[in-house]
PDB file of all heavy atoms in Angstrom:
ATOM      1  N   GLY I 451     -13.545 -17.956   5.325  1.00  0.00           N
ATOM      2  CA  GLY I 451     -13.878 -16.707   6.035  1.00  0.00           C
ATOM      3  C   GLY I 451     -12.641 -16.041   6.633  1.00  0.00           C
ATOM      4  O   GLY I 451     -12.424 -14.855   6.497  1.00  0.00           O
ATOM      5  N   THR I 452     -11.768 -16.862   7.243  1.00  0.00           N
ATOM      6  CA  THR I 452     -10.526 -16.354   7.844  1.00  0.00           C
ATOM      7  C   THR I 452      -9.638 -15.754   6.750  1.00  0.00           C
ATOM      8  O   THR I 452      -9.040 -14.676   6.916  1.00  0.00           O
ATOM      9  CB  THR I 452      -9.813 -17.476   8.605  1.00  0.00           C
ATOM     10  OG1 THR I 452     -10.753 -18.026   9.522  1.00  0.00           O
ATOM     11  CG2 THR I 452      -8.605 -16.964   9.358  1.00  0.00           C
ATOM     12  N   MET I 453      -9.523 -16.479   5.643  1.00  0.00           N
ATOM     13  CA  MET I 453      -8.640 -16.013   4.563  1.00  0.00           C
ATOM     14  C   MET I 453      -9.194 -14.709   3.977  1.00  0.00           C
ATOM     15  O   MET I 453      -8.415 -13.875   3.548  1.00  0.00           O
ATOM     16  CB  MET I 453      -8.542 -17.123   3.466  1.00  0.00           C
ATOM     17  CG  MET I 453      -7.750 -18.307   3.937  1.00  0.00           C
ATOM     18  SD  MET I 453      -7.195 -19.329   2.548  1.00  0.00           S
ATOM     19  CE  MET I 453      -8.576 -20.470   2.388  1.00  0.00           C
ATOM     20  N   LEU I 454     -10.516 -14.590   3.934  1.00  0.00           N
ATOM     21  CA  LEU I 454     -11.129 -13.410   3.321  1.00  0.00           C
ATOM     22  C   LEU I 454     -10.977 -12.152   4.198  1.00  0.00           C
ATOM     23  O   LEU I 454     -11.106 -11.034   3.713  1.00  0.00           O
ATOM     24  CB  LEU I 454     -12.591 -13.599   3.041  1.00  0.00           C
ATOM     25  CG  LEU I 454     -12.979 -14.383   1.782  1.00  0.00           C
ATOM     26  CD1 LEU I 454     -14.491 -14.649   1.813  1.00  0.00           C
ATOM     27  CD2 LEU I 454     -12.564 -13.655   0.554  1.00  0.00           C
ATOM     28  N   ALA I 455     -10.688 -12.366   5.456  1.00  0.00           N
ATOM     29  CA  ALA I 455     -10.713 -11.261   6.423  1.00  0.00           C
ATOM     30  C   ALA I 455      -9.910  -9.996   5.995  1.00  0.00           C
ATOM     31  O   ALA I 455     -10.390  -8.883   6.175  1.00  0.00           O
ATOM     32  CB  ALA I 455     -10.263 -11.710   7.810  1.00  0.00           C
ATOM     33  N   PRO I 456      -8.673 -10.121   5.463  1.00  0.00           N
ATOM     34  CA  PRO I 456      -7.982  -8.904   5.058  1.00  0.00           C
ATOM     35  C   PRO I 456      -8.605  -8.185   3.892  1.00  0.00           C
ATOM     36  O   PRO I 456      -8.468  -6.994   3.760  1.00  0.00           O
ATOM     37  CB  PRO I 456      -6.576  -9.437   4.656  1.00  0.00           C
ATOM     38  CG  PRO I 456      -6.472 -10.820   5.146  1.00  0.00           C
ATOM     39  CD  PRO I 456      -7.846 -11.335   5.200  1.00  0.00           C
ATOM     40  N   PHE I 457      -9.336  -8.947   3.084  1.00  0.00           N
ATOM     41  CA  PHE I 457      -9.878  -8.350   1.824  1.00  0.00           C
ATOM     42  C   PHE I 457     -11.269  -7.820   1.968  1.00  0.00           C
ATOM     43  O   PHE I 457     -11.592  -6.743   1.552  1.00  0.00           O
ATOM     44  CB  PHE I 457      -9.807  -9.381   0.691  1.00  0.00           C
ATOM     45  CG  PHE I 457      -8.387  -9.925   0.541  1.00  0.00           C
ATOM     46  CD1 PHE I 457      -8.033 -11.147   1.039  1.00  0.00           C
ATOM     47  CD2 PHE I 457      -7.464  -9.167  -0.126  1.00  0.00           C
ATOM     48  CE1 PHE I 457      -6.715 -11.613   0.948  1.00  0.00           C
ATOM     49  CE2 PHE I 457      -6.140  -9.602  -0.232  1.00  0.00           C
ATOM     50  CZ  PHE I 457      -5.781 -10.840   0.280  1.00  0.00           C
ATOM     51  N   THR I 458     -12.163  -8.685   2.463  1.00  0.00           N
ATOM     52  CA  THR I 458     -13.559  -8.311   2.641  1.00  0.00           C
ATOM     53  C   THR I 458     -13.907  -8.512   4.121  1.00  0.00           C
ATOM     54  O   THR I 458     -14.613  -9.445   4.471  1.00  0.00           O
ATOM     55  CB  THR I 458     -14.470  -9.229   1.737  1.00  0.00           C
ATOM     56  OG1 THR I 458     -14.302 -10.582   2.105  1.00  0.00           O
ATOM     57  CG2 THR I 458     -14.148  -9.060   0.277  1.00  0.00           C
ATOM     58  N   PRO I 459     -13.403  -7.563   4.954  1.00  0.00           N
ATOM     59  CA  PRO I 459     -13.496  -7.764   6.400  1.00  0.00           C
ATOM     60  C   PRO I 459     -14.949  -7.881   6.912  1.00  0.00           C
ATOM     61  O   PRO I 459     -15.166  -8.644   7.840  1.00  0.00           O
ATOM     62  CB  PRO I 459     -12.796  -6.532   6.994  1.00  0.00           C
ATOM     63  CG  PRO I 459     -12.646  -5.566   5.883  1.00  0.00           C
ATOM     64  CD  PRO I 459     -12.632  -6.367   4.610  1.00  0.00           C
ATOM     65  N   GLU I 460     -15.895  -7.126   6.307  1.00  0.00           N
ATOM     66  CA  GLU I 460     -17.282  -7.189   6.844  1.00  0.00           C
ATOM     67  C   GLU I 460     -17.884  -8.533   6.607  1.00  0.00           C
ATOM     68  O   GLU I 460     -18.443  -9.183   7.503  1.00  0.00           O
ATOM     69  CB  GLU I 460     -18.106  -6.100   6.205  1.00  0.00           C
ATOM     70  CG  GLU I 460     -17.797  -4.699   6.732  1.00  0.00           C
ATOM     71  CD  GLU I 460     -18.529  -3.634   5.974  1.00  0.00           C
ATOM     72  OE1 GLU I 460     -19.701  -3.770   5.619  1.00  0.00           O
ATOM     73  OE2 GLU I 460     -17.874  -2.596   5.671  1.00  0.00           O
ATOM     74  N   ALA I 461     -17.766  -9.036   5.366  1.00  0.00           N
ATOM     75  CA  ALA I 461     -18.360 -10.340   5.042  1.00  0.00           C
ATOM     76  C   ALA I 461     -17.652 -11.424   5.842  1.00  0.00           C
ATOM     77  O   ALA I 461     -18.284 -12.386   6.318  1.00  0.00           O
ATOM     78  CB  ALA I 461     -18.217 -10.610   3.535  1.00  0.00           C
ATOM     79  N   ALA I 462     -16.330 -11.306   5.956  1.00  0.00           N
ATOM     80  CA  ALA I 462     -15.547 -12.303   6.667  1.00  0.00           C
ATOM     81  C   ALA I 462     -16.009 -12.424   8.121  1.00  0.00           C
ATOM     82  O   ALA I 462     -16.125 -13.514   8.648  1.00  0.00           O
ATOM     83  CB  ALA I 462     -14.057 -11.998   6.591  1.00  0.00           C
ATOM     84  N   ALA I 463     -16.297 -11.265   8.729  1.00  0.00           N
ATOM     85  CA  ALA I 463     -16.737 -11.282  10.134  1.00  0.00           C
ATOM     86  C   ALA I 463     -18.107 -11.991  10.254  1.00  0.00           C
ATOM     87  O   ALA I 463     -18.336 -12.718  11.215  1.00  0.00           O
ATOM     88  CB  ALA I 463     -16.819  -9.886  10.683  1.00  0.00           C
ATOM     89  N   LYS I 464     -18.934 -11.762   9.259  1.00  0.00           N
ATOM     90  CA  LYS I 464     -20.249 -12.460   9.255  1.00  0.00           C
ATOM     91  C   LYS I 464     -20.127 -13.975   9.125  1.00  0.00           C
ATOM     92  O   LYS I 464     -20.804 -14.741   9.789  1.00  0.00           O
ATOM     93  CB  LYS I 464     -21.131 -11.909   8.167  1.00  0.00           C
ATOM     94  CG  LYS I 464     -21.671 -10.518   8.438  1.00  0.00           C
ATOM     95  CD  LYS I 464     -22.589 -10.054   7.299  1.00  0.00           C
ATOM     96  CE  LYS I 464     -22.850  -8.568   7.428  1.00  0.00           C
ATOM     97  NZ  LYS I 464     -23.373  -8.017   6.146  1.00  0.00           N
ATOM     98  N   ILE I 465     -19.191 -14.398   8.289  1.00  0.00           N
ATOM     99  CA  ILE I 465     -18.955 -15.837   8.109  1.00  0.00           C
ATOM    100  C   ILE I 465     -18.446 -16.422   9.389  1.00  0.00           C
ATOM    101  O   ILE I 465     -18.945 -17.439   9.902  1.00  0.00           O
ATOM    102  CB  ILE I 465     -17.959 -16.105   6.951  1.00  0.00           C
ATOM    103  CG1 ILE I 465     -18.458 -15.583   5.604  1.00  0.00           C
ATOM    104  CG2 ILE I 465     -17.629 -17.621   6.868  1.00  0.00           C
ATOM    105  CD1 ILE I 465     -17.435 -15.636   4.455  1.00  0.00           C
ATOM    106  N   THR I 466     -17.456 -15.780   9.972  1.00  0.00           N
ATOM    107  CA  THR I 466     -16.885 -16.241  11.231  1.00  0.00           C
ATOM    108  C   THR I 466     -17.931 -16.387  12.316  1.00  0.00           C
ATOM    109  O   THR I 466     -17.988 -17.373  13.012  1.00  0.00           O
ATOM    110  CB  THR I 466     -15.711 -15.323  11.657  1.00  0.00           C
ATOM    111  OG1 THR I 466     -14.776 -15.282  10.578  1.00  0.00           O
ATOM    112  CG2 THR I 466     -15.053 -15.797  12.915  1.00  0.00           C
ATOM    113  N   GLN I 467     -18.752 -15.349  12.381  1.00  0.00           N
ATOM    114  CA  GLN I 467     -19.813 -15.333  13.419  1.00  0.00           C
ATOM    115  C   GLN I 467     -20.800 -16.485  13.195  1.00  0.00           C
ATOM    116  O   GLN I 467     -21.127 -17.222  14.150  1.00  0.00           O
ATOM    117  CB  GLN I 467     -20.489 -13.953  13.358  1.00  0.00           C
ATOM    118  CG  GLN I 467     -21.077 -13.475  14.680  1.00  0.00           C
ATOM    119  CD  GLN I 467     -22.535 -13.896  14.786  1.00  0.00           C
ATOM    120  OE1 GLN I 467     -23.197 -14.093  13.777  1.00  0.00           O
ATOM    121  NE2 GLN I 467     -22.979 -14.107  16.017  1.00  0.00           N
ATOM    122  N   ALA I 468     -21.196 -16.691  11.960  1.00  0.00           N
ATOM    123  CA  ALA I 468     -22.219 -17.715  11.666  1.00  0.00           C
ATOM    124  C   ALA I 468     -21.659 -19.141  11.808  1.00  0.00           C
ATOM    125  O   ALA I 468     -22.409 -20.077  12.086  1.00  0.00           O
ATOM    126  CB  ALA I 468     -22.775 -17.498  10.267  1.00  0.00           C
ATOM    127  N   PHE I 469     -20.316 -19.299  11.618  1.00  0.00           N
ATOM    128  CA  PHE I 469     -19.751 -20.616  11.630  1.00  0.00           C
ATOM    129  C   PHE I 469     -18.877 -20.910  12.860  1.00  0.00           C
ATOM    130  O   PHE I 469     -18.220 -21.948  12.972  1.00  0.00           O
ATOM    131  CB  PHE I 469     -18.874 -20.825  10.352  1.00  0.00           C
ATOM    132  CG  PHE I 469     -19.689 -21.034   9.126  1.00  0.00           C
ATOM    133  CD1 PHE I 469     -20.501 -19.984   8.598  1.00  0.00           C
ATOM    134  CD2 PHE I 469     -19.698 -22.240   8.461  1.00  0.00           C
ATOM    135  CE1 PHE I 469     -21.236 -20.194   7.439  1.00  0.00           C
ATOM    136  CE2 PHE I 469     -20.429 -22.445   7.317  1.00  0.00           C
ATOM    137  CZ  PHE I 469     -21.229 -21.409   6.776  1.00  0.00           C
ATOM    138  N   ALA I 470     -18.907 -19.995  13.823  1.00  0.00           N
ATOM    139  CA  ALA I 470     -17.983 -20.142  14.962  1.00  0.00           C
ATOM    140  C   ALA I 470     -18.406 -21.217  15.940  1.00  0.00           C
ATOM    141  O   ALA I 470     -17.576 -21.961  16.423  1.00  0.00           O
ATOM    142  CB  ALA I 470     -17.920 -18.782  15.687  1.00  0.00           C
ATOM    143  N   ASP I 471     -19.664 -21.311  16.228  1.00  0.00           N
ATOM    144  CA  ASP I 471     -20.133 -22.219  17.259  1.00  0.00           C
ATOM    145  C   ASP I 471     -20.622 -23.542  16.627  1.00  0.00           C
ATOM    146  O   ASP I 471     -21.642 -23.541  15.910  1.00  0.00           O
ATOM    147  CB  ASP I 471     -21.295 -21.570  18.057  1.00  0.00           C
ATOM    148  CG  ASP I 471     -21.845 -22.477  19.158  1.00  0.00           C
ATOM    149  OD1 ASP I 471     -21.371 -23.626  19.289  1.00  0.00           O
ATOM    150  OD2 ASP I 471     -22.745 -22.015  19.871  1.00  0.00           O
TER     151      ASP I 471
END
Side-chain angles (χ1 to χ4, degrees):
T452 305
M453 291 196 269
L454 280 174
F457 304 100
T458 59
E460 286 172 40
K464 286 181 192 163
I465 298 172
T466 301
Q467 208 268 333
F469 287 66
D471 180 357

